[in-house]
């Protein structure tokens, strides 16, 4: 369905809802992926850092979905920034996944104090130019990181994957990305179910629409032109999280959720992450 797909700035289509697989273990992977594919997911978000690329690749191979119908994202881990290492660890990621290309390859964190993200991105441009990857982008880039990247490299990132949820809506960064045709993907879109999904504003809206709180929050992300990669290992929730294309939120409800913003991150501040600070 066209409504489910977002056309990136190079016209490559990316499903609006993907399954985030951070913390999905090898034991859980088969069941989660089977449920996800049956529910209609075609996009999967992993990373070298998650140590589950092999399990994801195996689970996808056990399905009969052709590779070209899947959208696989992986990320360059901080420790492997730098031109040559980027190429080396991209190769490891595709080997782990058992595929010969990635749909999207992202820098995981800028790690600005190490000053390697420009050359890492240049290696990604090379991979893109050579057809190893359909689109390239970044994660956790603030406006100042993006400005420098766009000044010093050629390919405008297709995606910036950042922490976004109703308590931390990053509207200014979203506006900047919208202006430059960089698609925002929300990580932690459900705030890891830590006190957001029982907020009375959300539960009241959910009751009115006869939807679940998670569906309301996910639909709110879509209303803001974002892609989403909710993680779940639970088949019922996996189905619930993609079953959001049969309704729209009224503007007043979107505004109510916008008003929940308190500008508080749950995750790390990208300016404080350097190579070696995250294990
Ligand atoms: N680029 C980055 O730096 C970065 C950082 C963090 C995450 N990510 C990506 O973003 C993805 C999503 O973020 P996240 O995993 O941090 O957080 P999230 O998707 O906001 O939340 C996942 C948590 O919410 C629960 N959940 C899922 N659906 C639910 C539902 N319908 N109702 C109630 N609870 C539900 C899950 O439980 P169960 O699994 O037990 O069902 C899990 O505990 C990750 O998997 C990863 O791919 C990227």
């Amino acid at each position: 369905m066209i409504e489910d797909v977002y056309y990136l700035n190079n016209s490559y289509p990316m499903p609006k809802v993907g399954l985030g697989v951070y913390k999905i273990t090898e034991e859980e992977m088969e069941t989660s992926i089977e449920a996800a594919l049956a529910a209609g997911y075609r996009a999967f978000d992993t990373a070298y850092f998650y140590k589950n690329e092999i399990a994801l690749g195996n689970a996808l191979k056990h399905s009969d979905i052709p590779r070209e119908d899947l959208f696989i994202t992986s990320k360059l881990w901080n420790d492997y920034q730098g031109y040559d290492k980027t190429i080396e660890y991209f190769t490891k990621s595709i080997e782990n996944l058992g595929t010969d290309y990635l749909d999207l390859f992202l820098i995981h964190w800028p790690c600005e104090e190490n000053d390697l993200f420009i050359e890492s991105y240049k290696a990604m441009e090379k991979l893109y130019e050579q057809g190893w990857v359909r689109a390239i982008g970044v994660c956790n880039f603030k406006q100042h990181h993006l400005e420098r990247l766009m000044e010093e490299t050629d390919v405008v990132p297709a995606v910036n994957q950042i922490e976004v949820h109703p308590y931390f809506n990053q509207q200014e960064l979203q506006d900047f990305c919208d202006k430059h045709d960089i698609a925002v993907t929300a990580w932690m879109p459900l705030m890891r179910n830590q006190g957001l999904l029982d907020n009375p504003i959300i539960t009241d809206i959910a009751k009115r629409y006869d939807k679940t709180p998670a569906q309301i929050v996910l639909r709110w992300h879509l209303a803001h032109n974002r892609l989403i990669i909710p993680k779940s290992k639970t088949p019922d929730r996996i189905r619930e999280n993609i079953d959001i294309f049969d309704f729209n939120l009224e503007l007043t409800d979107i505004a109510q959720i916008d008003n929940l913003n308190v500008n508080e991150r749950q995750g790390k501040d990208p300016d404080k992450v350097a190579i070696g600070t995250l294990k």
Side-chain angles (χ1 to χ4, degrees):
M1 258 197 318
I2 196 115
E3 203 210 347
D4 308 358
V5 168
Y6 186 110
Y7 290 90
L8 299 174
N9 60 15
N10 62 357
S11 304
Y12 194 66
M14 175 168 177
K16 287 185 183 171
V17 183
L19 185 73
V21 302
Y22 183 40
K23 304 254 185 213
I24 296 189
T25 62
E26 200 177 333
E27 296 70 49
E28 295 159 351
M29 194 63 85
E30 289 284 339
T31 321
S32 306
I33 297 308
E34 203 182 314
L37 290 170
Y41 288 77
R42 292 295 177 267
F44 299 89
D45 182 89
T46 186
Y48 187 85
F49 178 67
Y50 302 169
K51 298 191 172 68
N52 60 14
E53 289 173 318
I54 295 177
L56 174 62
N58 285 338
L60 291 173
K61 279 225 187 67
H62 295 153
S63 78
D64 53 6
I65 312 281
R67 172 66 184 91
E68 61 271 22
D69 291 353
L70 298 170
F71 190 107
I72 305 178
T73 301
S74 194
K75 314 184 189 91
L76 173 74
W77 185 237
N78 303 346
D79 299 4
Y80 311 121
Q81 283 206 25
Y83 194 96
D84 292 341
K85 284 226 172 86
T86 299
I87 308 276
E88 185 186 340
Y89 278 82
F90 168 79
T91 309
K92 284 191 204 288
S93 281
I94 57 170
E95 277 170 12
N96 284 344
L97 285 156
T99 182
D100 48 15
Y101 70 95
L102 282 184
D103 295 277
L104 180 62
F105 192 39
L106 305 172
I107 294 183
H108 211 140
W109 293 88
C111 299
E112 191 173 26
E113 75 174 63
N114 305 100
D115 202 17
L116 289 169
F117 73 77
I118 297 292
E119 50 170 301
S120 305
Y121 194 79
K122 286 187 174 165
M124 289 166 60
E125 288 183 320
K126 184 55 113 186
L127 293 167
Y128 177 59
E129 194 186 295
Q130 293 180 340
W132 291 100
V133 53
R134 303 294 180 258
I136 56 176
V138 295
C139 304
N140 302 305
F141 273 43
K142 293 184 176 181
Q143 182 170 331
H144 67 93
H145 301 117
L146 289 170
E147 279 168 346
R148 183 169 163 215
L149 187 72
M150 288 192 287
E151 215 172 277
E152 297 184 31
T153 64
D154 297 326
V155 179
V156 176
V159 167
N160 187 19
Q161 188 184 112
I162 53 175
E163 177 183 343
V164 191
H165 42 72
Y167 294 168
F168 186 60
N169 70 24
Q170 302 235 53
Q171 193 56 52
E172 273 180 38
L173 182 53
Q174 170 93 44
D175 292 343
F176 179 85
C177 290
D178 286 347
K179 189 170 139 207
H180 293 277
D181 205 5
I182 300 169
V184 172
T185 299
W187 65 254
M188 215 193 271
L190 298 172
M191 220 183 90
R192 294 198 176 141
N193 193 17
Q194 303 286 313
L196 168 69
L197 301 180
D198 49 12
N199 179 299
I201 301 279
I202 306 282
T203 54
D204 283 358
I205 297 175
K207 267 189 219 117
R208 272 195 283 116
Y209 285 81
D210 197 19
K211 297 288 171 190
T212 68
Q215 289 173 322
I216 296 300
V217 171
L218 295 173
R219 194 70 224 187
W220 168 81
H221 283 288
L222 295 189
H224 281 293
N225 199 32
R226 281 193 282 279
L227 298 140
I228 42 176
I229 44 169
K231 175 265 174 183
S232 178
K233 61 174 163 50
T234 315
D236 281 346
R237 289 174 170 175
I238 290 172
R239 287 188 278 276
E240 175 185 330
N241 293 345
I242 201 169
D243 185 16
I244 56 172
F245 290 99
D246 61 349
F247 74 108
N248 272 305
L249 292 172
E250 300 285 336
L251 288 178
T252 48
D253 295 321
I254 295 170
Q256 275 206 73
I257 304 175
D258 290 345
N259 283 335
L260 294 175
N261 184 44
V262 286
N263 259 332
E264 259 171 36
R265 286 178 194 282
Q266 302 293 308
K268 298 276 181 222
D269 182 333
D271 282 327
K272 299 198 173 119
V273 173
I275 292 176
T277 58
L278 297 178
K279 302 273 177 218

